[in-house]
Amino acid sequence: MRILSFLIVLTTLSSAADKPLNILFCFADDWGRYASIYAEHEKFPSPNQVVKTPNIDRIAREGALFSRAYVNAPSCTPCRSALLSGRYFFNTGRAAILNGAVWDPAIPSFPLLLKDQGYHIGKAFKVWSPGDPADAPYGGQKYAFQQSGGRCNQFSQNVDKLMKDGVPVEDAKQQIYAEVRGNFDAFLKARPKGTPFCFWHGPTNVHRKWVKGSGEAQWGIQPDDLKGKLPKHLPDVDAFREDFGSYLGEIQAFDAQVGTLIKRLEEEGEYDNTVIVISGDHGAPGFPGGKCNLYDFGVGVTLAIRWPGQPGGRYIADFVNLMDLAPTFMEIGGAPIPPGVNGKSLVSLMKSGQSGQIEKERDYVITGRERHVSSAREGNLPYPQRALRKDGFLYIHNFKPERMPMGDFKTLTDSFTPSQDDLENETYVAFPDMDASPAKAWLVQHRNDSQYKWHFDYAFAKRPQEELYDLSKDPAQTINVAAEPGYAEIKAQMAAELMAKLKEVGDPRVTADPVPFESGVFTQDTKTNAAKGKGKGKKGKAKAE
């Protein structure tokens, strides 16, 4: 009898071990490396000392937090193209740009490969966009579960509206969380019994725009809470502190949505059989050096992973590119890794049980950029960049230094400044590769103030062909030492290494002649997802269509 009982126990344990893991992927727009748990590892003043993300922190504490996770491109569509395919963004054809992106169905994507392995797949809100067809790598809208509502996508706007109708702020938030839960409920209800699942929660609330001052009004984040804690390249003035505080508020709203999904997993009895991955698609929007930039503020992102059965409390220092998530998910689901995948699965890291630098070959990351907004520059041309980030140095190569990095001046001239309203709300009136924002408005309006001219130039001025930053002396990456004789050797080494790696993986920017990104379908004009400034209208405001 004892032998029979022992065999039953062994059979039960074996079945549990063999049970396929579910995947919950929570992915926020424009969310850089900001979560309160990072403050425990930082030795300098930081916004992470202000933001509160208890649910993201929980996943990191029960699993692993990555200190060197980077997107492949600091622009929504190309970043997601890399993540979904496991390829470098520049190897995804027309999916390598934002406006004008088209998905090539011949490129395998991890969600559809998991579906082929028997996974129940689903998504809520943004997966791959803007682009045509929308969310194509996830099967378009066929696997969308968002019928309960999408007010989380404009979180501060919808909370503000409810508050104006007399609803208390916490009750207003709960209404929105209930929609997040309802969408996930529908997905779980549609799952065939015993089938492993992969669900992508992709709200857009951390993306511009949000209600001005909502960080304070909805989350109690005072502008002065950030005094002395903003990144060095941002002016430490009230306008920037208030705007950044509202950004942190949207991150807290995303964190609360994550908590809603975690609670539902626990209720379903699936929490301990689900790999939970939380990250974002690039740095902060509407701030200098963030979105559309290859500095850490633009490409460095939060990454927290909880893996059932693996030890928690880990802090991993390996360099990770988010395109590594595609082969990770494929490996979890038992899908074969298709040809053309450049990323490397993180399964070995997660199963190592270790912290710190675990695999010595993960000692660098390559990032890059081609075209973001279509008409940011004359002729709809890109601002092509590639960068090599290693321990100690960041090297950036700007292939077309004669072009404006954040786009042309547009309606801005020495004698004309677009209105406050336009600079806060109409991205195309000036430097269209930086989102409209109160921070952008303040910086443009103070461009002739000697105290802040450096900040304006940092954001918008032309850049040299080569940039090199010594992170041991300049972790904020604000002092370009590429032209200093003492750095000539390290610059030459990093430049050679970057170009060799790009050639090895077939980057068209360095292997094709002519370069495809400079003409044809890659430079067609498109007004996708934006309004285009068309000059001065009445009362000196810039019209938009």
Side-chain angles (χ1 to χ4, degrees):
M1 193 64 160
R2 290 181 180 177
I3 294 174
L4 179 59
S5 299
F6 180 69
L7 290 173
I8 290 171
V9 170
L10 279 180
T11 302
T12 302
L13 290 173
S14 177
S15 298
D18 293 340
K19 186 178 180 182
L21 292 169
N22 306 313
I23 299 167
L24 173 63
F25 184 43
C26 300
F27 198 58
D29 269 25
D30 297 25
W31 175 36
R33 198 171 289 143
Y34 291 106
S36 46
I37 192 170
Y38 278 111
E40 299 174 13
H41 302 276
E42 295 171 338
K43 299 179 181 179
F44 49 85
S46 162
N48 287 320
Q49 297 163 1
V50 175
V51 71
K52 296 177 175 63
T53 55
N55 298 294
I56 295 161
D57 294 359
R58 174 187 173 182
I59 296 304
R61 292 190 202 287
E62 295 179 6
L65 182 67
F66 289 76
S67 64
R68 290 169 166 172
Y70 295 86
V71 297
N72 188 212
S75 172
C76 293
T77 306
C79 165
R80 293 160 184 266
S81 298
L83 191 158
L84 284 150
S85 68
R87 301 180 177 209
Y88 281 113
F89 83 97
F90 46 69
N91 285 338
T92 61
R94 285 182 67 181
I97 59 177
L98 183 93
N99 287 169
V102 175
W103 182 258
D104 180 356
I107 297 176
S109 62
F110 81 79
L112 299 182
L113 290 174
L114 290 178
K115 179 181 176 297
D116 291 343
Q117 294 298 312
Y119 270 67
H120 173 57
I121 68 169
K123 65 97 177 182
F125 315 120
K126 183 175 178 178
V127 172
W128 185 79
S129 176
D132 185 41
D135 292 346
Y138 216 98
Q141 305 311 308
K142 183 178 180 180
Y143 304 107
F145 291 86
Q146 47 208 41
Q147 290 78 15
S148 290
R151 285 186 290 177
C152 62
N153 288 319
Q154 291 184 302
F155 193 92
S156 60
Q157 293 93 327
N158 284 304
V159 169
D160 185 64
K161 181 179 179 181
L162 289 166
M163 289 171 64
K164 288 177 179 175
D165 290 338
V167 179
V169 60
E170 292 305 320
D171 291 346
K173 293 175 184 177
Q174 290 301 324
Q175 287 190 29
I176 297 175
Y177 305 151
E179 294 179 356
V180 172
R181 178 188 174 96
N183 294 329
F184 196 38
D185 280 344
F187 168 77
L188 292 173
K189 185 177 180 180
R191 176 175 64 134
K193 186 176 181 180
T195 302
F197 66 77
C198 176
F199 186 76
W200 179 310
H201 179 62
T204 59
N205 64 289
V206 186
H207 191 294
R208 294 280 182 178
K209 53 189 180 178
W210 48 76
V211 172
K212 189 175 182 179
S214 57
E216 181 176 359
Q218 298 178 15
W219 299 98
I221 300 173
Q222 306 289 332
D224 281 354
D225 293 344
L226 285 161
K227 187 173 290 186
K229 297 183 178 72
L230 291 178
K232 180 181 177 181
H233 65 278
L234 301 185
D236 197 355
V237 297
D238 190 69
F240 269 77
R241 293 192 293 265
E242 180 185 72
D243 202 13
F244 208 87
S246 296
Y247 172 63
L248 297 182
E250 295 293 343
I251 293 171
Q252 293 188 189
F254 172 68
D255 176 81
Q257 297 168 50
V258 170
T260 298
L261 299 175
I262 290 173
K263 183 178 180 181
R264 187 67 188 88
L265 277 179
E266 291 175 321
E267 293 170 352
E268 191 73 8
E270 293 286 359
Y271 183 68
D272 287 326
N273 193 53
T274 302
V275 175
I276 301 175
V277 181
I278 308 172
S279 192
D281 69 355
H282 49 67
F287 292 100
K291 183 177 182 176
C292 284
N293 287 274
L294 301 188
Y295 311 117
D296 281 11
F297 187 63
V299 292
V301 292
T302 301
L303 179 61
I305 302 178
R306 181 187 188 273
W307 194 290
Q310 298 300 318
R314 299 163 60 198
Y315 193 57
I316 297 178
D318 293 52
F319 281 89
V320 169
N321 194 312
L322 287 200
M323 71 178 180
D324 295 336
L325 291 177
T328 302
F329 294 147
M330 294 173 193
E331 185 172 349
I332 291 171
I337 309 298
V341 169
N342 302 116
K344 182 182 178 184
S345 171
L346 304 178
V347 170
S348 59
L349 291 182
M350 293 306 301
K351 289 188 174 181
S352 71
Q354 300 177 41
S355 291
Q357 180 74 38
I358 300 169
E359 297 177 354
K360 62 181 181 180
E361 64 272 18
R362 296 184 190 265
D363 63 347
Y364 74 94
V365 70
I366 289 174
T367 57
R369 174 189 170 201
E370 285 293 338
R371 192 177 85 165
H372 185 65
V373 165
S374 58
S375 58
R377 287 162 212 87
E378 190 71 27
N380 310 311
L381 293 171
Y383 190 76
Q385 300 176 282
R386 301 290 186 269
L388 178 65
R389 174 70 159 86
K390 303 192 78 172
D391 186 14
F393 289 92
L394 168 66
Y395 172 81
I396 301 174
H397 190 92
N398 300 308
F399 290 89
K400 299 291 182 180
E402 69 276 11
R403 297 176 189 169
M404 298 291 289
M406 289 295 105
D408 296 338
F409 284 82
K410 298 297 182 179
T411 65
L412 178 68
T413 66
D414 290 341
S415 59
F416 175 76
T417 301
S419 69
Q420 176 84 14
D421 181 65
D422 277 351
L423 287 168
E424 289 188 7
N425 297 289
E426 299 294 339
T427 291
Y428 279 71
V429 298
F431 312 117
D433 274 344
M434 182 187 290
D435 290 10
S437 69
K440 180 179 179 178
W442 189 94
L443 199 55
V444 169
Q445 290 165 345
H446 288 78
R447 66 190 183 278
N448 295 320
D449 187 329
S450 59
Q451 186 177 355
Y452 300 109
K453 185 179 186 305
W454 178 90
H455 293 87
F456 179 84
D457 289 343
Y458 171 91
F460 303 117
K462 290 180 179 179
R463 300 171 186 173
Q465 187 171 69
E466 293 181 292
E467 298 176 62
L468 180 67
Y469 299 93
D470 182 345
L471 305 182
S472 65
K473 300 177 181 178
D474 176 32
Q477 301 158 24
T478 60
I479 304 170
N480 180 15
V481 297
E484 294 187 16
Y487 288 93
E489 184 176 351
I490 185 64
K491 183 182 74 171
Q493 290 174 354
M494 292 196 73
E497 183 177 352
L498 173 62
M499 293 305 160
K501 291 182 183 299
L502 294 177
K503 290 175 182 176
E504 181 182 355
V505 297
D507 181 354
R509 176 56 65 177
V510 299
T511 62
D513 187 14
V515 176
F517 302 125
E518 292 289 328
S519 62
V521 295
F522 288 97
T523 57
Q524 288 177 351
D525 192 9
T526 173
K527 300 180 181 66
T528 303
N529 209 38
K532 182 180 176 183
K534 286 289 185 179
K536 302 173 188 178
K538 294 181 180 179
K539 298 182 181 180
K541 291 183 69 175
K543 287 185 178 179
E545 63 178 28

